[in-house]
Amino acid sequence: MSISPLRAHQPASSSGPRILIYSHDTFGLGHIRRCRAIANRLATSFHDPSIVIISGSPVIGSFEFGDGIDYVRVPGVVKLPDGTYSTSSLSLDLEETVRIREAIIMATARGLRPDILIVDKEPTGFRDELVQTLQFLKEAGTRIVLGLRDVLDEPAVIVPEWQRKGALAALERFYDEIWVYGLPQIHAPLEAFDLSPAAVRRIVYTGYIPRELPPRPQPARYPKLTREPFVLVTTGGGGDGEELIDWVISAYEADPSIPLGALVVFGPFIPRARRMAFIERIAGLPRMDAITFDTKIEHLMHRSEGVIAMGGYNTFCEILSFDKRALIVPRRTPRLEQTIRAERAAELGLVSMLDGAMLEPGARRDPAMMGLAIRALAEQPLPSKSFPKGLLDGLDRIEAATHALMTQTRIAAPRDAVFA
């Protein structure tokens, strides 16, 4: 558990907007990268803002944030292969860890006194850790927003899951707006739910969240392979991408004449033993290389000829933003989120796709099939040839919606009174 130091140049009090962003972060990099993109845009959109991100990500300190942004890290939790959860570092049981997280979240809300709370994906937080804070902030007059990625899961899974968690009741009770970071032409994640007409009116489709090249204060030392045309192989955090990496390596082992080189970015969560085994195989392949992790992977994607990925939300946004040809191999477990997104994107001509069933443990993956798909990647139309209107308007619409909420908040009582 750590709380980052406050930036020295921030004044003791600020008349600018105060925004709290909650990200439960039980796995991977997607949630924190999405919250970071939103925070960085909002920090440049207001005068003298104070934006705090609450996160359980163990790597949040590796990312750069704009002025006016800080973070509070709560104790981490991880999702195990059987679907249960455990603490990631502490020698405490899960219930104790959740109580600590809950207390930190409430203390942060009381201390910051936010005008707006933006909650990422989980309406009640991890194991209901957000409910008391939602109740407190609602009574205090804070405007509360739920931000959802474009796809949650198949209806047969997500509807009973949300009912069991009390997420639908929380959505109806606490949330002033629901921002869907996508377009209904690709997927409508709340369509399967029996929402009240009032809740339906609160839904705002923002479009996808675009990515820009982050600043690089010093020249990057990329592998020599990147000086020539190459494909970028990325599985996000890497905790569930071993099978895709294995399939790509096997393609180059079977066919060393594949014209495009391939750079693998493992991600910080791939097991060390597995990573070392992959590195040993890659060392014998002249058309492949690998690096462990790059917090500014956007630069590598921008330089690449194309991308091979599993198609998580953030990678999909990057592919669209940098207009890169992409081969998506979506995982099918524990959720169908990536598969639903990839199938629809392929139908629209935004990406090409291989069956994610090949990523299941024990599946027999044909190296020649992957090799042919990599060869075909260079001939694919660019995604921009098939862009629906407003596809990448996400940050513009989030900024506009936030400004609109700021005009509505705390009209009845001053901040110091409601948080006394």
Side-chain angles (χ1 to χ4, degrees), residues 45-98:
S45 177
F46 292 94
H47 175 69
D48 205 16
S50 294
I51 302 173
V52 175
I53 300 173
I54 295 176
S55 171
S57 173
V59 296
I60 188 171
S62 300
F63 292 94
E64 293 180 4
F65 297 91
D67 290 340
I69 305 171
D70 218 319
Y71 64 87
V72 172
R73 192 187 161 217
V74 295
V77 294
V78 293
K79 191 171 187 178
L80 303 177
D82 63 1
T84 61
Y85 290 88
S86 176
T87 57
S88 58
S89 299
L90 299 179
S91 299
L92 300 174
D93 63 34
L94 188 60
E95 288 72 22
E96 287 180 289
T97 302
V98 171

Side-chain angles (χ1 to χ4, degrees), residues 391-406:
L391 184 68
L392 289 171
D393 287 354
L395 290 178
D396 290 340
R397 293 183 179 175
I398 289 169
E399 180 180 346
T402 304
H403 277 274
L405 286 174
M406 283 300 301

Side-chain angles (χ1 to χ4, degrees), residues 311-392:
Y313 179 85
N314 287 278
T315 302
F316 186 60
C317 289
E318 290 161 352
I319 288 166
L320 299 178
S321 299
F322 301 121
D323 200 17
K324 293 297 174 179
R325 299 174 176 92
L327 171 64
I328 303 299
V329 191
R331 70 167 183 253
R332 301 183 64 87
T333 56
R335 296 188 180 277
L336 281 177
E337 170 224 336
Q338 292 181 355
T339 299
I340 294 169
R341 179 182 300 113
E343 288 178 347
R344 183 58 180 147
E347 289 173 1
L348 292 173
L350 298 171
V351 302
S352 63
M353 176 183 166
L354 289 178
D355 188 355
M358 295 296 100
L359 301 185
E360 297 298 316
R364 300 185 63 181
R365 295 181 281 271
D366 182 0
M369 179 185 294
M370 176 59 74
L372 288 172
I374 296 172
R375 288 177 177 273
L377 194 57
E379 306 303 322
Q380 264 178 229
L382 294 171
S384 57
K385 301 293 184 182
S386 303
F387 275 11
K389 184 179 179 181
L391 184 68
L392 289 171

Side-chain angles (χ1 to χ4, degrees), residues 146 148 162 167-180 190-191 193-205:
L146 177 65
L148 299 174
W162 272 34
L168 289 176
L171 187 151
E172 297 275 1
R173 179 183 177 189
F174 296 119
Y175 288 90
D176 298 287
E177 290 190 356
I178 305 160
W179 297 344
V180 178
L190 296 177
E191 196 172 61
F193 295 97
D194 184 21
L195 299 178
S196 69
V200 171
R201 288 192 294 270
R202 299 178 204 144
I203 299 174
V204 177
Y205 284 90

Side-chain angles (χ1 to χ4, degrees), residues 197-269:
V200 171
R201 288 192 294 270
R202 299 178 204 144
I203 299 174
V204 177
Y205 284 90
T206 66
Y208 289 86
I209 298 176
R211 298 295 193 267
E212 297 178 350
L213 289 176
R216 266 204 188 277
Q218 57 193 20
R221 294 183 178 179
Y222 292 134
K224 182 179 177 181
L225 177 145
T226 62
R227 299 174 191 170
E228 299 178 0
F230 72 98
V231 293
L232 177 68
V233 183
T234 173
T235 59
D240 58 356
E242 298 174 32
E243 288 78 12
L244 177 57
I245 293 171
D246 175 77
W247 198 3
V248 173
I249 294 174
S250 71
Y252 283 85
E253 289 172 332
D255 183 5
S257 69
I258 295 174
L260 285 173
L263 176 67
V264 176
V265 179
F266 289 117
F269 302 127

Side-chain angles (χ1 to χ4, degrees), residues 28-45:
L29 298 174
H31 300 290
I32 186 58
R33 294 185 70 196
R34 180 163 58 242
C35 292
R36 171 178 172 265
I38 292 170
N40 281 341
R41 166 57 76 92
L42 295 180
T44 64
S45 177

